[in-house]
Amino acid sequence: MHENEQLIQVGDQVIVQRQGYTKLHKLKKNGSLIIGKFTVQMDNVIGHRYLDTFQMKNSSNNKKLFILEKVEDSSCSVGALNIETSGQDNRNIVIDGDSQMLTKDDIDKLQDSELNSNAIIGELVSNSKTFNMKTGYSQEKYIKKKEKKYFEYIQIRRPTVRLLANMFYRQDPSKTLGIRIDDLSQILAYANIHSDGNHLLYDSGTSGLMVAAIMNSIGANTEASLIHMHPGNECQKNAFVAMQFPEEQRNRCINVNLYSVLRDFYQTKESEDPNMEETPSKKQKMNEDSAEAPKPPQWKIDNQRACKILQTKCDTLIVTSKEHPVNIVKELLWFLKGARQLVVFNAMREPLEDLFVYLKSRLDIVGIKLSNNFLRNYQVLPERTHPEVNMNSGGYILSAVKLNS
């Protein structure tokens, strides 16, 4: 990577991370970012390296505005506090709202004095009447809760597919059809995405995550191309833009409207039919039109590029759609080469069951598999291990292989 590419520059798409919270942000000159209740001036990160850590400090002119100052280390409050005693259980703790001796004004003064989060949390702990009565686990939860509120360090990270997938899923799973990072990795593995050949994707609701993941797997300076079909006038490309691929890699991603490109494909196919004869007058009119015609719009150029690839067929077909997938797959299967993979993702099982039945009726489709790899996070602590209760089960993946005609 070039030296300048390792430095944060104006116009870069960056991931701003504050503990477990992440947010996508495009850097602008004199720009600011809202993180929770903080408004942070972002100018000071420009020119520094990715993964550098910055401390949020109050601006002298505006107490609600924070500026960033580069630091070498941000120590964790849990490790910095020296906790000597803890209780056996929490049964004798009375929650009366009077356990903290510091008032809100006292805490505001601590923040105004520019103490770091460790010092503020230390004051809160030492002035709590019930902290030493809590169990070790409860003390850790208390400290992490306060650390989340007062933690003043952020880190600037370069966007990656993993960071974007986790960020979108945490913010709103419906924006990416409920695709988790483990679902995404399985889709790419089943589809055998590689840096050669041509890949076909129909996507109607992953905020560009599937496009970004496929293009990232294809890689830069390769021969592979991706046809990204979508239902609307404009494709969703938030994650794709955030990845900041080089220009030659972006050019190998062809974004086309599904209905428009199929219409052009079949019209072109009919016009190239050798059984159709052109009269001299018709041929002369076409030559005159082509001589006077202005440059076609970009969507028309993209359609023509996609049609050339579709004529030779594709090495992979992936469908991640909000719509029922049967008709979409039925239409696009013709463009898949023999001995190649079909992968369909859906948040619901029933649409894929219908697709399963349809594919079973075809003689050219084998190895049909419908799966849901449920992944549950576990909290593992000494003598207390249990699964997390509130979590999404992910979606369903159908994979199959098309035989040679």
Side-chain angles (χ1 to χ4, degrees):
M1 185 178 290
H2 194 271
E3 178 69 21
N4 289 335
E5 294 179 355
Q6 298 179 6
L7 301 180
I8 305 169
Q9 302 176 26
V10 174
D12 283 359
Q13 297 265 2
V14 300
I15 295 284
V16 180
Q17 180 168 352
R18 179 174 176 257
Q19 290 187 309
Y21 177 84
T22 52
K23 190 171 184 177
L24 183 64
H25 177 68
K26 184 175 181 179
L27 287 175
K28 300 178 182 178
K29 194 172 183 180
N30 301 322
S32 60
L33 172 67
I34 297 177
I35 306 177
K37 66 176 183 178
F38 305 104
T39 301
V40 183
Q41 189 76 28
M42 299 295 295
D43 278 359
N44 288 351
V45 307
I46 296 170
H48 290 283
R49 291 178 176 273
Y50 283 98
L51 297 179
D52 280 348
T53 302
F54 299 85
Q55 184 177 10
M56 296 186 294
K57 291 193 172 183
N58 270 121
S59 172
S60 57
N61 300 326
N62 186 351
K63 291 296 181 183
K64 294 184 178 180
L65 181 66
F66 289 79
I67 60 174
L68 296 176
E69 183 178 298
K70 185 177 179 298
V71 294
E72 297 300 327
D73 182 42
S74 59
S75 57
C76 176
S77 298
V78 178
L81 293 174
N82 186 15
I83 302 170
E84 297 180 353
T85 60
S86 59
Q88 295 296 320
D89 53 53
N90 298 329
R91 71 180 72 181
N92 295 323
I93 298 177
V94 178
I95 302 176
D96 54 5
D98 195 35
S99 60
Q100 180 56 250
M101 292 184 288
L102 292 178
T103 64
K104 186 179 184 302
D105 291 338
D106 295 332
I107 297 173
D108 289 340
K109 288 178 182 178
L110 289 175
Q111 288 183 277
D112 292 340
S113 63
E114 295 190 357
L115 291 176
N116 61 28
S117 57
N118 291 345
I120 295 174
I121 295 171
E123 290 291 329
L124 293 172
V125 167
S126 61
N127 285 278
S128 174
K129 299 176 183 177
T130 59
F131 184 81
N132 289 332
M133 299 168 60
K134 297 176 182 285
T135 63
Y137 176 60
S138 295
Q139 289 176 343
E140 186 177 337
K141 284 182 66 176
Y142 176 87
I143 293 171
K144 285 185 176 180
K145 181 180 178 181
K146 298 303 179 184
E147 186 182 46
K148 184 178 180 181
K149 184 175 182 179
Y150 298 108
F151 194 74
E152 77 276 26
Y153 299 100
I154 68 170
Q155 190 178 50
I156 308 299
R157 307 186 66 176
R158 188 186 299 275
T160 64
V161 172
R162 180 182 63 82
L163 285 174
L164 291 171
N166 290 331
M167 183 193 70
F168 282 124
Y169 188 83
R170 177 186 55 78
Q171 291 176 348
D172 186 359
S174 64
K175 289 185 177 180
T176 55
L177 301 181
I179 294 181
R180 303 186 313 193
I181 186 64
D182 56 318
D183 292 324
L184 185 60
S185 62
Q186 290 172 71
I187 292 171
L188 297 177
Y190 282 136
N192 190 28
I193 300 297
H194 52 277
S195 58
D196 193 14
N198 299 308
H199 308 283
L200 175 58
L201 166 71
Y202 176 79
D203 176 37
S204 64
T206 66
S207 298
L209 181 62
M210 278 306 310
V211 190
I214 294 173
M215 290 306 300
N216 184 67
S217 297
I218 284 175
N221 301 312
T222 64
E223 299 298 323
S225 297
L226 171 66
I227 301 176
H228 171 210
M229 294 184 178
H230 53 88
N233 294 328
E234 291 290 335
C235 63
Q236 296 184 7
K237 53 184 179 181
N238 293 354
F240 178 74
V241 172
M243 287 296 293
Q244 302 174 109
F245 293 117
E247 184 178 1
E248 67 83 21
Q249 194 171 358
R250 293 196 304 269
N251 291 338
R252 286 185 283 116
C253 178
I254 309 171
N255 301 302
V256 290
N257 175 273
L258 171 67
Y259 313 103
S260 175
V261 73
L262 290 182
R263 181 178 63 248
D264 282 5
F265 176 81
Y266 289 115
Q267 287 177 350
T268 303
K269 193 175 181 182
E270 289 177 2
S271 65
E272 294 176 354
D273 190 342
N275 296 324
M276 294 181 63
E277 295 183 0
E278 292 183 351
T279 61
S281 59
K282 182 178 179 182
K283 195 170 184 181
Q284 182 179 358
K285 187 176 185 301
M286 289 179 63
N287 291 335
E288 291 175 356
D289 291 342
S290 61
E292 298 176 359
K295 182 181 178 181
Q298 185 60 44
W299 67 266
K300 192 71 176 177
I301 297 174
D302 291 337
N303 278 5
Q304 293 171 356
R305 292 177 59 200
C307 287
K308 288 182 180 179
I309 296 175
L310 292 176
Q311 287 175 354
T312 61
K313 298 193 176 182
C314 300
D315 297 277
T316 299
L317 173 58
I318 300 176
V319 176
T320 54
S321 65
K322 295 179 180 177
E323 306 91 338
H324 200 290
V326 170
N327 289 333
I328 297 171
V329 172
K330 191 182 298 185
E331 188 66 39
L332 297 181
L333 261 178
W334 190 88
F335 301 107
L336 183 64
K337 292 180 181 178
R340 300 299 194 274
Q341 298 287 333
L342 161 69
V343 181
V344 185
F345 175 90
N346 201 286
M348 306 299 292
R349 182 183 62 196
E350 288 76 12
L352 293 186
E353 288 177 341
D354 295 340
L355 180 60
F356 187 98
V357 173
Y358 164 71
L359 294 177
K360 273 289 188 182
S361 68
R362 295 182 55 135
L363 300 178
D364 59 343
I365 304 295
V366 296
I368 309 170
K369 180 182 177 183
L370 177 56
S371 61
N372 168 242
N373 293 331
F374 181 81
L375 177 65
R376 165 159 273 175
N377 296 328
Y378 279 78
Q379 180 192 80
V380 180
L381 294 169
E383 299 183 3
R384 50 186 186 276
T385 298
H386 63 83
E388 290 185 6
V389 177
N390 298 321
M391 64 175 300
N392 192 295
S393 62
Y396 297 82
I397 300 174
L398 183 145
S399 60
V401 177
K402 182 183 178 184
L403 297 177
N404 287 313
S405 302

